[in-house]
Amino acid sequence: MRFVWQFLAVVAIYALGGIAVTAVRENDWLTLVLGLTAAALVVLVYAWVVRRTEHRPALDVAREGAVAKTGWGVLIGAGMFAAVIVNLFASGHYDVEGLGSVTGALGLLGFMAAAAAAEEVVYRGVLFRIVEERTGTYLALVLTGLVFGLSHLLNEHATLWGGLTIAIEAGFMLAAAYAATRSLWLTIGVHFGWNFAAAGVFSTEVSGNGANQGLLDSSTSGPELLTGGAFGPEGSVYSVGFGALLTLVFLWLAHRRGNIVPFGSRRAAGADSAAKLPR
């Protein structure tokens, strides 16, 4: 029953936050404020419902080290997407015409913060963590990663290929990051860093949700296998490659730290102390 209560609680806040942020999407300043508020609320509700249903503090959103872990995550996510753009630019498939919109970038900052926090709490904090207790780390990673990727098929310009790429480069990678660090702050940071770099900095499409106007006025062109087409660079083979590489790195780190849950062990991994990224 704890899964049901946790899932319903965080999905309810996810939905309400999404409705509120979407309603003011045309106003960048309101989007920034409401987006950051929605991100904070979903984390607070997660911490509350875990405490109520599992009778323990939610260590994966503990205040200690939260800023540092989130910061590391943002650097990893933004760096990963920047690497994709560098490859597209070097091959002549990404062009910058000039500067875009600072206020547009601020609005996207709030929007992406809300999306990153809500999706990480739902998919990694509740779904992956509890499924992992039953099935082990590797099977939980595959199952929840596929669910995460295929959920993006609901987006406007979604394709099956796009959904599969999201499963690999994001669903698998973020689950591996959570397994390695036992920190939602880290995965929220990675998720936000990737999405904000894509939309708020490089002004590309994100997961088939249409064009964005961030800091740069840019355009992509070329074969969909490299650019991702209307789905955005997340559908690029570059993104899949970098995401798969990071997945392996995080799994290696999880194994090294003893954070891999074997199949059938029924160990409550989420109750363990959150590990820290290496200095």
Side-chain angles (χ1 to χ4, degrees), residues 113-265:
E119 291 183 6
E120 288 312 301
V121 164
V122 171
Y123 286 98
R124 258 60 67 179
V126 177
L127 195 59
F128 172 78
R129 180 174 60 84
I130 294 179
V131 171
E132 183 190 33
E133 293 176 15
R134 300 278 180 172
T135 68
T137 300
Y138 293 116
L139 186 54
L141 180 148
V142 172
L143 292 176
T144 61
L146 287 173
V147 170
F148 181 69
L150 295 178
S151 70
H152 288 71
L153 292 178
L154 300 174
N155 295 347
E156 183 180 1
H157 299 117
T159 62
L160 181 58
W161 166 251
L164 291 175
T165 62
I166 291 291
I168 297 169
E169 74 206 25
F172 296 171
M173 185 267 289
L174 289 165
Y178 182 82
T181 64
R182 298 298 166 187
S183 172
L184 279 176
W185 296 122
L186 186 284
T187 63
I188 289 171
V190 174
H191 197 145
F192 169 76
W194 171 273
N195 280 0
F196 182 69
V201 178
F202 297 107
S203 303
T204 65
E205 296 83 357
V206 176
S207 307
N209 279 315
N212 294 289
Q213 185 59 68
L215 292 176
L216 299 176
D217 183 11
S218 65
S219 62
T220 57
S221 61
E224 289 191 13
L225 192 63
L226 296 181
T227 66
F231 191 77
E234 287 170 316
S236 166
V237 291
Y238 294 130
S239 296
V240 175
F242 288 126
L245 179 61
L246 268 180
T247 299
L248 294 176
V249 170
F250 280 125
L251 285 177
W252 169 81
L253 187 59
H255 186 271
R256 182 181 178 186
R257 291 174 170 175
N259 286 349
I260 297 295
V261 180
F263 177 79
S265 73

Side-chain angles (χ1 to χ4, degrees), residues 54-92:
E54 299 186 16
H55 310 291
R56 66 172 183 84
L59 297 178
D60 47 6
V61 288
R63 293 181 183 179
E64 183 181 359
V67 174
K69 291 170 185 176
T70 305
W72 272 109
V74 172
L75 288 175
I76 293 169
M80 179 180 166
F81 193 83
V84 174
I85 291 296
V86 166
N87 279 274
L88 290 175
F89 181 80
S91 58

